[in-house]
């Protein structure tokens, strides 16, 4: 019985991690759209920014129901930042360099390390 409960909780936690990852991807989208909005003077990028920022924050809010806030926020920011910089380098907006790639890999590695740690939120004691 305990193994079934553990498996079920792991599957539920996996879903929250997927929501967090999707939210981090949306963070990269809104950050890129923010740069393209030219100070919110371009309608299409401004709309993309608004929608994806809202969805990204909503997903982060869902994820912290099961993932501790500090861990979730660090992963969300780290993955979002790495994707934003990666896209900027791929699209030619920012120059790529071996050191930049090394440090981005470090961010992603740290996020993966946080995922590998136990993520059950402590339960409040009823006294």
């Amino acid at each position: 019985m305990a193994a079934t409960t553990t498996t079920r909780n792991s599957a539920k936690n996996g879903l929250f991690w997927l929501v967090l990852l999707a939210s981090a991807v949306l963070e990269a989208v809104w950050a890129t759209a923010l740069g393209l909005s030219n100070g919110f003077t371009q309608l299409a990028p401004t709309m993309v920014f608004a929608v994806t920022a809202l969805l990204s924050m909503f997903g982060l809010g869902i994820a912290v129901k099961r993932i501790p806030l500090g861990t979730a926020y660090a992963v969300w920011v780290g993955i979002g930042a790495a994707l934003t910089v990666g896209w900027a380098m791929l699209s030619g907006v920012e120059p790529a360099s071996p050191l930049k790639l090394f440090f981005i890999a470090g961010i992603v590695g740290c996020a993966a390390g946080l995922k590998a740690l136990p993520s059950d939120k402590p339960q409040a004691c009823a006294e």
Side-chain angles (χ1 to χ4, degrees):
M1 179 78 168
T4 304
T5 302
T6 302
T7 304
R8 201 172 308 139
N9 286 340
S10 294
K12 279 187 177 181
N13 282 347
L15 179 61
F16 285 88
W17 279 100
L18 285 175
V19 168
L20 182 61
L21 181 60
S23 296
V25 170
L26 288 172
E27 183 196 3
V29 173
W30 71 248
T32 301
L34 178 62
L36 296 172
S37 74
N38 197 26
F40 300 117
T41 60
Q42 304 297 314
L43 181 61
T46 298
M47 296 306 294
V48 170
F49 165 79
V51 170
T52 56
L54 184 70
L55 291 172
S56 180
M57 295 290 175
F58 182 75
L60 178 62
I62 296 295
V64 299
K65 287 182 175 182
R66 187 62 58 99
I67 302 166
L69 176 62
T71 299
Y73 185 70
V75 169
W76 181 74
V77 169
I79 297 299
L83 289 172
T84 302
V85 174
W87 176 252
M89 289 188 301
L90 284 173
S91 63
V93 174
E94 237 180 86
S97 73
L99 271 178
K100 194 178 282 189
L101 294 171
F102 172 76
F103 289 122
I104 290 170
I107 292 170
V108 173
C110 289
L114 289 171
K115 164 65 175 102
L117 296 173
S119 65
D120 287 340
K121 289 179 96 169
Q123 300 298 317
C125 293
E127 293 186 45

